[in-house]
Amino acid sequence: MTPQLTAKPGSSAAPTGRARHGIPGTKNRQRWSNRSRRDFFVFLALALPNLLLIAVFTYLPLINNIYYSTLNWTLGSASAAVVGLENYVTFFTGADAARVLGTTAIFTAATVGGSMVLGLLIALVLNSKVRGTTFARSAVFAPYVLSGVGVGLVWLFIFDPGYGVLAWLLRGLGQQSPQWINDPQLSLVMVIIVYVWKNLGYCAVVFLAGLQSLPQDVMEAASLDGAGSFRRFVSMSLPLLSPTTFFLLITTMLSSLQAFDLIRIMTPLGAGTSTLIYEAYLQAFGAYNRAGYSAAISVILFVILLVITVLQLRFVEKKVHYS
Protein backbone atom coordinates (compact mmCIF):
# COMPACT_ATOMS: atom_id res chain seq x y z
CA MET A 1 0.00 0.00 0.00
CA THR A 2 1.10 3.46 -0.71
CA PRO A 3 1.32 5.31 2.51
CA GLN A 4 -0.72 8.53 2.81
CA LEU A 5 1.30 11.61 3.49
CA THR A 6 0.12 13.78 6.32
CA ALA A 7 1.31 17.34 6.33
CA LYS A 8 2.56 18.76 9.52
CA PRO A 9 0.87 21.83 10.94
CA GLY A 10 2.46 24.95 9.61
CA SER A 11 4.05 23.23 6.62
CA SER A 12 3.42 24.41 3.05
CA ALA A 13 1.35 21.35 2.29
CA ALA A 14 -1.14 22.09 5.05
CA PRO A 15 -4.44 23.58 3.83
CA THR A 16 -4.72 27.21 4.84
CA GLY A 17 -7.71 29.40 5.63
CA ARG A 18 -7.24 31.09 2.27
CA ALA A 19 -7.62 27.73 0.51
CA ARG A 20 -10.48 26.59 2.70
CA HIS A 21 -12.51 29.75 2.54
CA GLY A 22 -11.56 31.17 -0.87
CA ILE A 23 -9.92 34.47 -1.77
CA PRO A 24 -10.80 37.18 0.76
CA GLY A 25 -13.16 39.81 -0.64
CA THR A 26 -14.54 37.63 -3.45
CA LYS A 27 -17.93 37.34 -1.84
CA ASN A 28 -17.92 41.05 -1.01
CA ARG A 29 -17.14 41.95 -4.59
CA GLN A 30 -19.81 39.57 -5.78
CA ARG A 31 -22.29 41.04 -3.33
CA TRP A 32 -21.51 44.62 -4.41
CA SER A 33 -21.71 43.58 -8.02
CA ASN A 34 -25.17 42.17 -7.47
CA ARG A 35 -26.21 45.27 -5.58
CA SER A 36 -24.91 47.55 -8.35
CA ARG A 37 -26.78 45.52 -10.93
CA ARG A 38 -29.95 45.68 -8.89
CA ASP A 39 -29.59 49.45 -8.39
CA PHE A 40 -29.05 49.91 -12.09
CA PHE A 41 -32.26 48.09 -12.97
CA VAL A 42 -34.16 50.05 -10.32
CA PHE A 43 -32.78 53.26 -11.84
CA LEU A 44 -33.92 52.17 -15.29
CA ALA A 45 -37.37 51.26 -14.00
CA LEU A 46 -37.80 54.70 -12.43
CA ALA A 47 -36.03 56.89 -14.99
CA LEU A 48 -36.84 55.17 -18.28
CA PRO A 49 -40.54 56.17 -18.38
CA ASN A 50 -39.61 59.80 -17.76
CA LEU A 51 -36.83 59.69 -20.34
CA LEU A 52 -39.23 58.19 -22.88
CA LEU A 53 -41.82 60.89 -22.18
CA ILE A 54 -39.19 63.62 -22.56
CA ALA A 55 -37.94 62.08 -25.80
CA VAL A 56 -41.44 61.66 -27.26
CA PHE A 57 -42.94 64.98 -26.19
CA THR A 58 -39.87 67.26 -26.23
CA TYR A 59 -37.04 66.11 -28.46
CA LEU A 60 -39.08 64.40 -31.16
CA PRO A 61 -41.31 67.48 -31.71
CA LEU A 62 -38.17 69.62 -31.76
CA ILE A 63 -36.63 67.47 -34.50
CA ASN A 64 -39.90 67.46 -36.44
CA ASN A 65 -40.18 71.24 -36.10
CA ILE A 66 -36.68 71.70 -37.53
CA TYR A 67 -37.72 69.56 -40.48
CA TYR A 68 -40.98 71.48 -40.96
CA SER A 69 -39.03 74.74 -41.03
CA THR A 70 -37.46 73.61 -44.32
CA LEU A 71 -40.87 73.21 -45.99
CA ASN A 72 -43.21 75.54 -47.82
CA TRP A 73 -46.28 74.13 -46.14
CA THR A 74 -49.75 75.59 -45.73
CA LEU A 75 -51.39 74.36 -42.54
CA GLY A 76 -53.93 71.67 -43.38
CA SER A 77 -52.48 70.94 -46.81
CA ALA A 78 -51.65 67.33 -47.67
CA SER A 79 -48.54 68.31 -49.66
CA ALA A 80 -45.51 70.45 -48.97
CA ALA A 81 -42.47 71.55 -50.96
CA VAL A 82 -38.94 71.42 -49.59
CA VAL A 83 -37.41 74.91 -49.71
CA GLY A 84 -34.35 74.49 -47.48
CA LEU A 85 -33.43 77.67 -45.64
CA GLU A 86 -35.79 79.90 -47.60
CA ASN A 87 -38.09 80.48 -44.60
CA TYR A 88 -35.14 81.72 -42.53
CA VAL A 89 -33.97 83.99 -45.34
CA THR A 90 -37.48 85.39 -45.72
CA PHE A 91 -37.68 86.17 -42.02
CA PHE A 92 -34.30 87.90 -41.68
CA THR A 93 -34.49 89.82 -44.96
CA GLY A 94 -38.06 91.04 -44.46
CA ALA A 95 -39.61 93.54 -42.10
CA ASP A 96 -40.68 90.84 -39.65
CA ALA A 97 -37.22 90.36 -38.15
CA ALA A 98 -36.69 93.93 -36.89
CA ARG A 99 -40.28 94.26 -35.68
CA VAL A 100 -40.56 90.90 -33.94
CA LEU A 101 -37.05 90.78 -32.48
CA GLY A 102 -37.34 94.38 -31.27
CA THR A 103 -40.67 93.70 -29.58
CA THR A 104 -39.28 90.53 -28.01
CA ALA A 105 -36.21 92.34 -26.67
CA ILE A 106 -38.24 95.21 -25.20
CA PHE A 107 -40.81 92.90 -23.62
CA THR A 108 -38.16 90.57 -22.16
CA ALA A 109 -35.94 93.33 -20.77
CA ALA A 110 -38.87 95.23 -19.23
CA THR A 111 -40.55 92.20 -17.68
CA VAL A 112 -37.36 90.59 -16.36
CA GLY A 113 -35.98 93.85 -14.97
CA GLY A 114 -39.30 95.00 -13.55
CA SER A 115 -40.11 91.66 -11.92
CA MET A 116 -36.69 91.28 -10.33
CA VAL A 117 -36.30 94.87 -9.09
CA LEU A 118 -39.82 95.13 -7.69
CA GLY A 119 -39.59 91.59 -6.33
CA LEU A 120 -36.40 92.43 -4.45
CA LEU A 121 -37.92 95.59 -2.97
CA ILE A 122 -41.01 93.70 -1.86
CA ALA A 123 -38.83 90.93 -0.41
CA LEU A 124 -36.96 93.50 1.69
CA VAL A 125 -40.27 94.76 3.07
CA LEU A 126 -41.58 91.26 3.74
CA ASN A 127 -38.35 90.29 5.47
CA SER A 128 -39.02 92.77 8.28
CA LYS A 129 -40.38 91.41 11.54
CA VAL A 130 -43.76 93.09 11.73
CA ARG A 131 -47.28 91.79 12.15
CA GLY A 132 -49.18 90.67 9.08
CA THR A 133 -46.17 89.61 6.99
CA THR A 134 -47.53 86.07 6.54
CA PHE A 135 -50.73 87.38 4.98
CA ALA A 136 -48.76 89.88 2.89
CA ARG A 137 -46.51 87.12 1.54
CA SER A 138 -49.51 85.05 0.51
CA ALA A 139 -51.17 88.06 -1.13
CA VAL A 140 -48.02 88.93 -3.08
CA PHE A 141 -47.50 85.38 -4.32
CA ALA A 142 -51.17 84.72 -5.18
CA PRO A 143 -51.18 86.35 -8.68
CA TYR A 144 -48.35 84.07 -9.79
CA VAL A 145 -50.44 80.92 -9.34
CA LEU A 146 -53.53 82.37 -11.00
CA SER A 147 -54.48 81.43 -14.54
CA GLY A 148 -52.96 83.71 -17.14
CA VAL A 149 -56.24 83.69 -19.06
CA GLY A 150 -58.19 84.85 -16.01
CA VAL A 151 -55.62 87.53 -15.17
CA GLY A 152 -55.67 88.77 -18.75
CA LEU A 153 -59.46 89.04 -18.82
CA VAL A 154 -59.59 90.96 -15.52
CA TRP A 155 -56.89 93.42 -16.55
CA LEU A 156 -58.43 93.79 -20.01
CA PHE A 157 -61.58 95.02 -18.28
CA ILE A 158 -59.49 97.46 -16.24
CA PHE A 159 -57.62 98.88 -19.26
CA ASP A 160 -60.55 98.99 -21.68
CA PRO A 161 -60.73 102.63 -22.89
CA GLY A 162 -64.52 102.55 -23.23
CA TYR A 163 -65.98 100.83 -20.18
CA GLY A 164 -62.91 99.87 -18.14
CA VAL A 165 -62.34 100.73 -14.51
CA LEU A 166 -59.32 102.90 -15.33
CA ALA A 167 -61.32 104.83 -17.95
CA TRP A 168 -64.10 105.40 -15.41
CA LEU A 169 -61.63 106.78 -12.86
CA LEU A 170 -60.02 109.07 -15.44
CA ARG A 171 -63.39 110.37 -16.58
CA GLY A 172 -64.15 111.19 -12.97
CA LEU A 173 -61.02 113.34 -12.98
CA GLY A 174 -61.99 115.00 -16.26
CA GLN A 175 -59.43 113.06 -18.32
CA GLN A 176 -59.77 110.69 -21.25
CA SER A 177 -58.43 107.17 -21.11
CA PRO A 178 -55.47 106.31 -23.35
CA GLN A 179 -56.21 103.86 -26.15
CA TRP A 180 -54.41 100.97 -24.47
CA ILE A 181 -55.81 98.33 -26.80
CA ASN A 182 -55.85 100.22 -30.11
CA ASP A 183 -52.44 101.92 -29.86
CA PRO A 184 -49.64 99.39 -30.62
CA GLN A 185 -47.12 101.16 -28.38
CA LEU A 186 -49.52 101.43 -25.45
CA SER A 187 -50.69 97.84 -25.88
CA LEU A 188 -47.12 96.65 -25.35
CA VAL A 189 -46.86 98.79 -22.20
CA MET A 190 -50.19 97.37 -21.01
CA VAL A 191 -49.07 93.77 -21.42
CA ILE A 192 -45.73 94.50 -19.72
CA ILE A 193 -47.49 96.01 -16.69
CA VAL A 194 -49.78 93.02 -16.32
CA TYR A 195 -46.98 90.49 -16.81
CA VAL A 196 -44.79 92.17 -14.19
CA TRP A 197 -47.71 92.33 -11.75
CA LYS A 198 -48.39 88.63 -12.21
CA ASN A 199 -44.81 87.42 -11.85
CA LEU A 200 -43.19 89.75 -9.31
CA GLY A 201 -44.60 87.60 -6.49
CA TYR A 202 -42.44 84.70 -7.68
CA CYS A 203 -39.33 86.87 -7.61
CA ALA A 204 -40.29 88.29 -4.22
CA VAL A 205 -40.69 84.86 -2.62
CA VAL A 206 -37.41 83.57 -4.05
CA PHE A 207 -35.55 86.72 -2.96
CA LEU A 208 -37.18 86.45 0.47
CA ALA A 209 -35.86 82.91 0.84
CA GLY A 210 -32.41 84.17 -0.12
CA LEU A 211 -32.56 87.02 2.39
CA GLN A 212 -33.61 84.71 5.21
CA SER A 213 -30.69 82.37 4.47
CA LEU A 214 -28.06 85.11 4.83
CA PRO A 215 -25.66 84.63 7.79
CA GLN A 216 -27.11 86.82 10.53
CA ASP A 217 -23.90 86.85 12.58
CA VAL A 218 -22.07 88.55 9.70
CA MET A 219 -24.83 91.12 9.29
CA GLU A 220 -24.86 91.83 13.04
CA ALA A 221 -21.08 92.21 13.05
CA ALA A 222 -21.30 94.74 10.23
CA SER A 223 -24.00 96.61 12.14
CA LEU A 224 -21.80 96.76 15.23
CA ASP A 225 -18.97 98.12 13.09
CA GLY A 226 -21.18 101.06 12.19
CA ALA A 227 -22.42 100.02 8.74
CA GLY A 228 -25.88 101.40 8.02
CA SER A 229 -28.74 99.42 6.54
CA PHE A 230 -28.12 100.72 3.01
CA ARG A 231 -24.40 100.00 3.28
CA ARG A 232 -25.06 96.46 4.53
CA PHE A 233 -27.51 95.86 1.70
CA VAL A 234 -25.18 97.08 -1.06
CA SER A 235 -21.91 95.66 0.25
CA MET A 236 -23.08 92.42 1.85
CA SER A 237 -26.63 91.40 1.04
CA LEU A 238 -26.46 91.88 -2.73
CA PRO A 239 -23.18 89.93 -3.20
CA LEU A 240 -24.48 87.11 -1.00
CA LEU A 241 -27.73 87.08 -3.00
CA SER A 242 -25.88 86.56 -6.29
CA PRO A 243 -26.82 82.83 -6.55
CA THR A 244 -30.49 83.75 -6.07
CA THR A 245 -30.22 86.60 -8.56
CA PHE A 246 -28.53 84.34 -11.10
CA PHE A 247 -31.25 81.71 -10.72
CA LEU A 248 -34.02 84.28 -11.14
CA LEU A 249 -32.29 85.85 -14.12
CA ILE A 250 -32.31 82.55 -16.01
CA THR A 251 -35.82 81.43 -15.05
CA THR A 252 -37.54 84.79 -15.59
CA MET A 253 -35.79 85.41 -18.90
CA LEU A 254 -36.77 82.01 -20.25
CA SER A 255 -40.32 82.53 -19.00
CA SER A 256 -40.63 85.99 -20.58
CA LEU A 257 -39.35 84.78 -23.94
CA GLN A 258 -42.09 82.12 -23.89
CA ALA A 259 -44.93 84.33 -22.61
CA PHE A 260 -48.08 83.62 -24.57
CA ASP A 261 -51.34 83.53 -22.60
CA LEU A 262 -51.49 87.19 -21.54
CA ILE A 263 -50.58 88.40 -25.03
CA ARG A 264 -53.17 86.12 -26.61
CA ILE A 265 -55.97 87.30 -24.31
CA MET A 266 -55.20 91.02 -24.14
CA THR A 267 -54.06 91.60 -27.75
CA PRO A 268 -55.48 88.81 -29.95
CA LEU A 269 -54.20 90.38 -33.18
CA GLY A 270 -50.73 90.99 -31.76
CA ALA A 271 -50.77 94.71 -32.60
CA GLY A 272 -47.50 95.92 -31.09
CA THR A 273 -47.07 92.78 -28.98
CA SER A 274 -45.92 90.19 -31.52
CA THR A 275 -43.01 88.53 -29.76
CA LEU A 276 -41.28 85.57 -31.36
CA ILE A 277 -43.54 82.95 -29.82
CA TYR A 278 -46.72 84.88 -30.60
CA GLU A 279 -45.60 85.64 -34.15
CA ALA A 280 -45.07 81.91 -34.65
CA TYR A 281 -48.62 81.33 -33.44
CA LEU A 282 -50.07 84.00 -35.74
CA GLN A 283 -48.21 82.71 -38.78
CA ALA A 284 -49.43 79.14 -38.25
CA PHE A 285 -52.93 79.59 -36.81
CA GLY A 286 -53.80 83.14 -37.83
CA ALA A 287 -54.80 84.37 -41.26
CA TYR A 288 -51.51 83.29 -42.89
CA ASN A 289 -51.56 79.48 -42.36
CA ARG A 290 -47.82 79.35 -43.09
CA ALA A 291 -46.81 76.37 -40.99
CA GLY A 292 -43.30 76.10 -42.42
CA TYR A 293 -42.55 79.78 -41.83
CA SER A 294 -43.98 79.48 -38.31
CA ALA A 295 -41.72 76.49 -37.63
CA ALA A 296 -38.70 78.53 -38.74
CA ILE A 297 -39.59 81.28 -36.25
CA SER A 298 -39.93 78.63 -33.52
CA VAL A 299 -36.46 77.29 -34.34
CA ILE A 300 -35.05 80.82 -34.14
CA LEU A 301 -36.64 81.19 -30.70
CA PHE A 302 -35.14 77.87 -29.61
CA VAL A 303 -31.67 78.94 -30.75
CA ILE A 304 -32.00 82.26 -28.89
CA LEU A 305 -33.07 80.46 -25.70
CA LEU A 306 -30.16 78.04 -26.02
CA VAL A 307 -27.59 80.78 -26.65
CA ILE A 308 -28.84 82.94 -23.76
CA THR A 309 -28.73 79.98 -21.37
CA VAL A 310 -25.21 78.97 -22.44
CA LEU A 311 -23.91 82.55 -22.18
CA GLN A 312 -25.41 82.97 -18.73
CA LEU A 313 -23.92 79.70 -17.51
CA ARG A 314 -20.58 80.48 -19.15
CA PHE A 315 -20.03 84.13 -18.20
CA VAL A 316 -22.63 85.38 -15.74
CA GLU A 317 -22.12 82.48 -13.34
CA LYS A 318 -18.47 83.47 -12.92
CA LYS A 319 -19.63 86.54 -11.01
CA VAL A 320 -21.83 84.49 -8.69
CA HIS A 321 -20.63 84.26 -5.10
CA TYR A 322 -21.32 80.83 -3.60
CA SER A 323 -20.80 80.81 0.13
Side-chain angles (χ1 to χ4, degrees), residues 159-183:
F159 279 107
D160 190 276
Y163 56 85
V165 175
L166 184 59
W168 177 77
L169 292 175
L170 291 175
R171 282 196 298 267
L173 299 175
Q175 302 293 328
Q176 288 187 348
S177 174
Q179 296 297 315
W180 298 99
I181 301 175
N182 301 321
D183 190 334

Side-chain angles (χ1 to χ4, degrees), residues 110-302:
T111 53
V112 171
S115 299
M116 293 185 64
V117 172
L118 293 177
L120 179 58
L121 295 177
I122 293 175
L124 292 173
V125 175
L126 297 178
N127 195 38
S128 59
K129 297 180 180 180
V130 295
R131 297 180 61 181
T133 54
T134 302
F135 174 77
R137 293 169 187 173
S138 302
V140 168
F141 187 72
Y144 179 72
V145 299
L146 296 177
S147 169
V149 175
V151 170
L153 290 174
V154 171
W155 278 94
L156 190 61
F157 173 71
I158 294 174
F159 279 107
D160 190 276
Y163 56 85
V165 175
L166 184 59
W168 177 77
L169 292 175
L170 291 175
R171 282 196 298 267
L173 299 175
Q175 302 293 328
Q176 288 187 348
S177 174
Q179 296 297 315
W180 298 99
I181 301 175
N182 301 321
D183 190 334
Q185 294 182 349
L186 291 179
S187 60
L188 180 60
V189 174
M190 174 185 65
V191 174
I192 289 174
I193 292 173
V194 178
Y195 192 87
V196 170
W197 175 84
K198 186 180 186 302
N199 291 275
L200 65 87
Y202 167 73
C203 296
V205 170
V206 176
F207 270 129
L208 179 61
L211 288 172
Q212 292 180 343
S213 65
L214 296 180
Q216 296 301 317
D217 52 348
V218 177
M219 307 300 291
E220 292 175 358
S223 179
L224 293 176
D225 289 339
S229 57
F230 180 77
R231 180 67 175 175
R232 293 197 305 270
F233 172 73
V234 174
S235 300
M236 302 185 66
S237 297
L238 279 182
L240 292 175
L241 282 175
S242 56
T244 304
T245 305
F246 177 66
F247 168 77
L248 284 175
L249 181 63
I250 292 180
T251 55
T252 55
M253 184 172 293
L254 296 181
S255 177
S256 295
L257 285 170
Q258 301 175 79
F260 176 81
D261 47 4
L262 287 176
I263 299 176
R264 175 66 179 86
I265 294 300
M266 303 190 73
T267 56
L269 299 179
T273 60
S274 290
T275 59
L276 275 169
I277 189 169
Y278 198 66
E279 183 68 16
Y281 166 78
L282 291 176
Q283 291 293 334
F285 302 100
Y288 307 99
N289 291 333
R290 295 195 293 177
Y293 187 68
S294 171
I297 297 177
S298 299
V299 173
I300 294 171
L301 175 60
F302 168 74

Side-chain angles (χ1 to χ4, degrees), residues 16-27:
T16 62
R18 183 184 184 92
R20 288 195 306 267
H21 302 289
I23 300 175
T26 302
K27 292 183 178 180

